[in-house]
Amino acid sequence: MSSLMANEQRIAAVDLGSNSFHMIVVSVDSLGNVRVLDRLREPVRLGAGLDEFGNLSLEAKLRALACLERFGERLRDFSSTEVAAVGTNTLRMARNARSFLDLAEDTLGHSISVISGREEARLIYLGVSHSLSATEDKEARRFVIDIGGGSTELIIGQGYEALHTESLRMGCVSSSRRFFPNGSLERTAWKEALTAAHLELIPIQKTYRDIGWEAANGASGTIKTVEKVIQQAGLANFGITLEHMYDIQARMIAARSIDKLQLAGLSEERKPIFAGGLAILISTFEALQIKRMLVSEGALREGLVYERINRMQQDDLRGKAVLNLQSRFQVDVAHAQAVRKTALALFDACQRAWRLSPDLREVLAWAADLHEIGLAVSHSGYHKHGGYLLDNFDLIGFSTREQHWLSLLVRTHRRKIFPQLFEGLEAKRSQQAVYLSVILRLAVLLHRDRSGQAALSIESLEATEQALDLVFAEHERERPLLFADLDEEKKFLKGINFRLKYSI
């Protein structure tokens, strides 16, 4: 493996897909040029491990953890800022995903975020758009499809920006298990698989056709395999057309079963899930009237790399999403900034004692920015309205975990706190969520007068495991309303076994 050159930053991206786990390690120079150092891929078949109740089987979890242990060895000396790891459809669907992720994070040695289908689509487009060949027009309006194990992402974008994103609940693993059980390739199975895929595509096909595109690209394993099979069959040197896929489909029907199928270019590993993926791709070509598609080398993991590069260059979409929400819901930005400043000062003062991870500082800042978003709905219970809105928006750039943390902090930033609200978080971080909630609540209270001035002068602060002691400057004695609020806050925090103490 190549060593890092001077002034280069390394980034690793890990994709916990429904069929395979992927990892890419790159170096990035000061100009943003990317050099691939390492690639790893293992066919974990996580999606095939979902049982009838939607739980991951023990066997699937063990396969996944064994793979992540090997990935973790490669990432042992990487910092948290150098690794982006995400889970996709199967981890969005699995009922026991949270308990598995706790083990997975310990095994990998890094945090793993489960991302929404639309966020996955956006990142796939980012990876594809940065991986176009020299002969492809990078500014053309482009359609991109990625058929994963459990979901299919469809995107229309231009340049490096995804303009329209969809994630449909159909994938090569789920479709193959449903329509081609035991390796059957009968014509009736194909008819059912194609019909089911068309039904999934109906809600979006008119919109996508009307928008249109100048070029089409496919990404990831299924589509790469389709092109390889077409090439090995002597049908074309590169690219995919509907006629080529019809030819491959006819050969598969003639074989009648996977056991008897002989297609050059189709690996033994890909065989059991190829029919479902091909049926989805044929249906997409038919429904969206695609003439020809080129295959991209970039996909989700490359998108994660370029997303991390953008964040390093202060081009973080999450901050832009927060600003857009502030504008859309007419948030008092000056007040939000004052609350943010105080919340971050309290975070910095408590970070060591409460062992708060650095990534949570950003989450707290965004929660402060958006803590009053619910006022656009109603003043009564506005913290509840804000929490609901943040849990149900598609927030560009945010993982489902980050979005839920935002929702939780906004939901609990005032009035009575219900301990069960924290129970849905991963066990090892639920206490940190409590600490962030306490910090935000205090920051809001200290700015109740909405003057925009600095909060109360705190002469000293002592944070212990379940308590916070504040000592205010003598001249603050003339603020009886705020101290009455702090007395009430003591009672609220007592409900979550937290002690607040203050003196002057």
Side-chain angles (χ1 to χ4, degrees), residues 49 65 80 161 163 165 197 283 346 367 389 435 494:
L65 293 173
S80 60
E161 183 179 0
L163 304 174
T165 57
S283 299
L346 290 171
L389 290 172
Y435 290 146
K494 189 176 180 180

Side-chain angles (χ1 to χ4, degrees), residues 320-333 370:
K320 294 178 182 178
V322 169
L323 290 175
N324 288 337
L325 285 179
Q326 285 185 319
S327 175
R328 179 177 174 182
F329 290 95
Q330 300 180 318
V331 169
D332 182 342
V333 175
L370 299 173

Side-chain angles (χ1 to χ4, degrees), residues 316-456:
D316 192 342
L317 286 178
R318 296 173 298 176
K320 294 178 182 178
V322 169
L323 290 175
N324 288 337
L325 285 179
Q326 285 185 319
S327 175
R328 179 177 174 182
F329 290 95
Q330 300 180 318
V331 169
D332 182 342
V333 175
H335 176 64
Q337 287 176 341
V339 172
R340 167 198 262 251
K341 183 177 180 181
T342 298
L344 293 181
L346 290 171
F347 180 97
D348 294 340
C350 299
Q351 182 174 8
R352 176 175 292 182
W354 287 346
R355 298 183 294 278
L356 297 170
S357 56
D359 60 300
L360 294 179
R361 196 175 190 274
E362 282 185 317
V363 176
L364 176 64
W366 292 321
D369 290 338
L370 299 173
H371 76 278
E372 289 190 333
I373 190 175
L375 284 173
V377 178
S378 171
H379 188 277
S380 177
Y382 73 85
H383 55 301
K384 299 178 184 177
H385 300 309
Y388 177 83
L389 290 172
L390 290 171
D391 233 355
N392 289 277
F393 276 131
D394 277 323
L395 291 184
I396 294 175
F398 285 89
S399 68
T400 54
R401 171 188 286 174
E402 290 171 331
Q403 192 165 338
H404 183 63
W405 275 70
L406 278 183
S407 170
L408 177 64
L409 294 179
V410 170
R411 170 67 178 82
T412 62
H413 88 266
R414 65 191 290 268
R415 311 305 298 167
K416 185 176 181 180
I417 308 179
F418 297 94
Q420 59 267 32
L421 291 172
F422 297 94
E423 293 174 0
L425 293 176
E426 55 272 35
K428 62 184 178 182
R429 301 194 84 179
S430 60
Q431 183 60 52
Q432 292 193 324
V434 171
Y435 290 146
L436 290 195
S437 181
V438 170
I439 289 172
L440 183 58
R441 291 172 70 90
L442 286 174
V444 171
L445 278 180
L446 296 178
H447 287 279
R448 185 178 178 182
D449 62 6
R450 307 183 77 88
S451 66
Q453 301 299 313
L456 292 176

